[in-house]
Amino acid sequence: PLFDRRLQLNGGAFYYDYSDKQVRVRVSDAIFGLLEKLVNVPKSRIWGLEAEINAVPIDGLTVSAGATYLNSKVTSDFSSATTPQGQVLAVFSQAGYTGNFKGSELPFTPKFSANADMQYEWEMGGVKPFIGGSVQHQGKNNATFHTSALPADDYTFKPYTLVDLR
């Protein structure tokens, strides 16, 4: 805390090295075709940075903002999965492609996300009215595994921003 606890800065860096991270993929079934299944990615990793600021510049006004950067990747060969019964199944992306997904980002990991919030409240006859708003941004990410050789453009979430007024 700084300035008599009116300002607080937080930051962090992290690294996750996964073995057998569970994810949902499609596998081929002889009768039903492609089915959703929970499988293990042999090796993957995520590293990232995050920062946050919280401030109370004047009594009643609260301001906060934060941002996160993520970098995820499948770091080993990932083209098949083994069932508990020992059956080896080819792994398919949601786009219907199969192959080695080594080097793919992990699904649902946007590179960048950020948020900001501001609220002012005051005392008025025994109640505390307030006014505020927030903005949340999420960068582009994909809902499935993909590489340049195994694209999944139809499963890409475009960046978006949400605004909330209260």
Side-chain angles (χ1 to χ4, degrees):
L2 304 167
F3 306 112
D4 198 25
R5 299 187 164 279
R6 290 195 173 266
L7 178 66
Q8 182 173 343
L9 304 171
N10 300 309
F14 53 89
Y15 181 83
Y16 296 104
D17 187 12
Y18 293 105
S19 292
D20 295 327
K21 179 174 177 51
Q22 292 187 323
V23 296
R24 295 191 67 80
V25 296
R26 289 183 171 191
V27 295
S28 181
D29 180 83
I31 298 173
F32 297 108
L34 294 179
L35 297 177
E36 292 281 328
K37 185 162 184 68
L38 188 65
V39 301
N40 294 339
V41 177
K43 297 275 186 198
S44 60
R45 60 110 178 113
I46 298 175
W47 67 265
L49 304 168
E50 54 190 9
E52 175 186 52
I53 184 171
N54 296 299
V56 182
I58 60 172
D59 289 340
L61 178 62
T62 323
V63 179
S64 64
T68 302
Y69 173 82
L70 293 175
N71 185 299
S72 70
K73 186 180 278 191
V74 175
T75 57
S76 66
D77 289 336
F78 180 50
S79 57
S80 63
T82 305
T83 68
Q85 299 78 22
Q87 180 184 15
V88 177
L89 303 171
V91 171
F92 290 79
S93 69
Q94 296 298 328
Y97 295 122
T98 188
N100 191 349
F101 292 103
K102 181 178 181 178
S104 173
E105 295 173 334
L106 293 170
F108 303 107
T109 54
K111 286 240 186 251
F112 180 74
S113 59
N115 62 70
D117 185 83
M118 184 182 298
Q119 181 165 301
Y120 181 71
E121 66 180 32
W122 63 97
E123 187 80 32
M124 189 170 79
V127 296
K128 282 193 170 184
F130 65 88
I131 187 169
S134 63
V135 176
Q136 178 184 354
H137 175 79
Q138 182 164 309
K140 180 178 101 168
N141 68 93
N142 206 301
T144 190
F145 292 97
H146 61 97
T147 65
S148 57
L150 303 164
D153 296 338
D154 290 344
Y155 293 88
T156 299
F157 294 109
K158 294 179 182 176
Y160 65 89
T161 302
L162 302 175
V163 176
D164 166 51
L165 300 175
R166 56 190 182 279

